[in-house]
């Protein structure tokens, strides 16, 4: 397993893939810990999570630097990612006792309730774009619910994967989290192990469907957080300047590599010409540089991903999209750009652009905007920029999306369930729904 710094192509980390014996040892130790952890008092589980938060605080600079070196996000954004993990831990340590409490239900019986029972070792296949956050968001709720957690991280962030195992190794607690180092194609085999009781994957459709297929054959619960191509709809009544500011931030943060980024900007025709001018101004000022020095944009995480983005842009241009600037790429360095006059049928509209390119499409009525937003295989989220959000609430039922945000771009928040519909996946992370993803909801009745 090799990590290559996408800014300068230096190899920064190398290790052998895990041997069968190492994988067996990891699953065995997690399964053994599960035996006692599942029935440990919730207060003890919360204190584990607070120990984890303390370790994040102590090692923030070191781990933020590691993320930046391995996948190229600007250092201040990597530090922000660690802060978000701390927030997640603190939120869950406070609310887990309530989220996981027995639920009493009125029936004709003396007593009826639902109890939340942990399942066992949960296997997670994770992506490189938020190397800490994605793992924390899956692992913290699963462990708090009484499960243990086996991670197979993306191969290009293997150093982060090792650091994550260190982070979750909290003194005074059993082994609750292990990392293994295998390639994606070998991941479905791990699901077959009888000690694995559930699987969660964040990543592409191809990876998700291969894991989910194996899980389905073996009747194991699975949760999928896959791609997205979120629209931001700038309605006629929107605050235009604020909308453009949020669209730029929502598209280009994390070097444009976020599942919930604003990928398609749908603009009321009234604003269309102004949109071109404002986006051009914003992108001309944007800096691309060494992510350790905090430019607006670092490189994309891998050269092959930048190549794929270039191909999607060039194909869209040959189908009629108008590029704001000439497409410019050097290895993993991809200069920010925007494509105008984008339409269904073009790759930039039908597929996910996972990098620093914003697509822009005009519309003339809100019904047309809804149709455009719903177009395509994804359903992660949408934002609507408008003057009176309450007036638009009835329209939410027409949007096939996991989330609708008004006057903001879609964000994840430990308080709120997060997930998609259509090929963006199924199941929910975060909030009460998230912590209940890998539990048996056991019905108990006393007659
Ligand atoms: P990816 O290629 O699917 O990789 C994700 C993980 O899946 C990696 O650990 C990878 O391992 C593994 N994998 C690859 N092929 C596999 C297979 N056939 N079976 C099982 N596992 C396999 O995705 P990515 O390029 O890293 O991530 C980008 C995608 O993730 C985008 O579509 C993005 O929108 C999505 N994403 C979604 C969310 C969400 O919350 N919905 C969040 C972040 C990202 P290797 O690295 O070893 O190949």
């Amino acid at each position: 397993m090799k990590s290559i710094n996408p800014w300068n192509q230096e190899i920064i980390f190398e290790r052998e893939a895990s041997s069968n014996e190492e994988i067996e040892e990891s699953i065995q130790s997690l399964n053994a810990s599960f035996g006692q952890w599942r029935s440990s008092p919730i207060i003890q589980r919360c204190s584990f999570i607070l120990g984890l938060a303390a370790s994040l605080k102590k090692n923030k600079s070191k781990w933020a630097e590691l993320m930046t070196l391995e996948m190229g996000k600007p250092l201040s954004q990597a530090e922000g990612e660690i802060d978000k993990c701390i927030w997640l831990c603190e939120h869950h340590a406070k609310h887990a006792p309530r989220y996981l409490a027995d639920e009493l239900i009125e029936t004709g019986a003396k007593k009826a309730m639902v109890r939340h029972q942990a399942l066992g070792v949960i296997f997670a296949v994770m992506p490189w774009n938020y190397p800490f956050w994605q793992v924390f968001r899956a692992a913290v709720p699963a462990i708090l619910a009484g499960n243990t957690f086996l991670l197979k991280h993306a191969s290009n962030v293997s150093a982060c994967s090792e650091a994550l195992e260190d982070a979750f190794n909290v003194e005074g607690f059993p082994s609750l989290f292990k990392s293994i180092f295998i390639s994606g194609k070998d991941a479905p085999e791990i699901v077959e192990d009888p000690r694995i009781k559930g699987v969660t994957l964040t990543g592409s459709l191809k990876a998700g469907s291969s894991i989910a297929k194996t899980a389905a054959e073996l009747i194991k619960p699975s949760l999928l957080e896959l791609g997205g191509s979120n629209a931001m709809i700038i309605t006629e009544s929107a605050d235009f300047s604020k909308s453009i500011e949020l669209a730029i931030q929502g598209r280009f943060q994390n070097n444009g590599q976020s599942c919930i980024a604003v990928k398609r900007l749908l603009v009321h025709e009234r604003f269309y010409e102004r949109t071109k001018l404002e986006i051009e101004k914003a992108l001309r000022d944007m800096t691309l540089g060494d992510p350790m020095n905090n430019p607006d944009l670092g490189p994309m995480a891998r050269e092959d991903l930048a190549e794929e983005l270039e191909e999607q842009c060039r194909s869209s241009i040959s189908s009629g999209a108008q590029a704001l600037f000439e497409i410019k790429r050097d290895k993993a360095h991809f200069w920010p750009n925007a494509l105008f006059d984008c339409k269904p049928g073009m790759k930039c509209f039908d597929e996910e652009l996972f990098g620093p390119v914003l697509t822009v499409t005009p519309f003339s009525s809100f019904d047309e905007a809804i149709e455009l937003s719903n177009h395509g295989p994804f359903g992660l989220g949408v934002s609507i920029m408008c003057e009176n959000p309450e007036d638009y609430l009835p329209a939410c039922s027409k949007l096939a999306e996991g989330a609708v945000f008004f006057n903001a771009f879609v964000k994840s928040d430990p308080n709120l369930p997060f997930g998609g519909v259509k090929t963006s996946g199924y199941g929910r992370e975060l909030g009460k729904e998230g912590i209940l993803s890998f539990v048996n909801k056991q019905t108990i009745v006393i007659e």
Side-chain angles (χ1 to χ4, degrees), residues 184-339:
K185 68 174 174 26
D186 297 328
E189 217 174 289
I190 303 294
V191 181
E192 291 172 15
D193 188 293
R195 292 162 295 184
I196 299 294
K197 301 296 187 197
V199 57
T200 176
L201 180 141
T202 300
S204 62
L205 177 59
K206 189 170 157 223
S209 84
S210 102
I211 281 284
K213 191 170 154 203
T214 311
E217 273 166 5
L218 296 162
I219 325 294
K220 296 189 184 189
S222 60
L223 187 155
L224 299 180
E225 295 284 6
L226 308 179
S229 189
N230 289 8
M232 174 181 274
I233 302 174
I234 304 186
T235 68
E236 212 176 348
S237 68
D239 174 336
F240 178 71
S241 306
K242 182 181 170 200
S243 303
I244 295 295
E245 192 187 312
L246 289 178
I248 297 290
Q249 200 189 336
R251 168 70 277 199
F252 294 96
Q253 65 177 355
N254 210 43
N255 304 336
Q257 302 165 125
S258 164
C259 54
I260 44 175
V262 177
K263 292 179 184 141
R264 296 176 299 145
L265 192 60
L266 307 180
V267 185
H268 189 272
E269 58 192 8
R270 164 179 172 219
F271 293 126
Y272 200 56
E273 286 312 311
R274 269 174 80 194
T275 304
K276 285 186 186 162
L277 296 175
E278 292 300 321
I279 290 180
E280 181 173 358
K281 224 187 308 164
L283 299 197
R284 272 200 198 289
D285 289 347
M286 216 172 250
T287 52
L288 168 70
D290 182 344
M292 294 302 266
N293 300 333
N294 281 319
D296 296 315
L297 282 181
M300 288 181 61
R302 295 193 318 246
E303 187 174 346
D304 62 303
L305 298 166
E307 256 169 30
E308 187 188 343
L309 178 63
E310 181 178 356
E311 189 281 319
Q312 288 170 307
C313 290
R314 293 205 185 281
S315 155
S316 306
I317 292 166
S318 68
S319 310
Q322 303 291 320
L324 183 61
F325 308 120
E326 206 178 308
I327 303 295
K328 189 172 165 200
R329 178 182 77 82
D330 177 22
K331 299 197 172 68
H333 303 182
F334 199 109
W335 275 260
N337 214 329
L339 299 175

Side-chain angles (χ1 to χ4, degrees), residues 14 34 55 77 109 187 222 235 271 305 315 326 359 368 380:
E14 224 171 339
F34 171 68
S55 152
Q77 294 183 27
S222 60
T235 68
F271 293 126
L305 298 166
S315 155
E326 206 178 308
T359 74
E368 187 190 354
L380 209 46

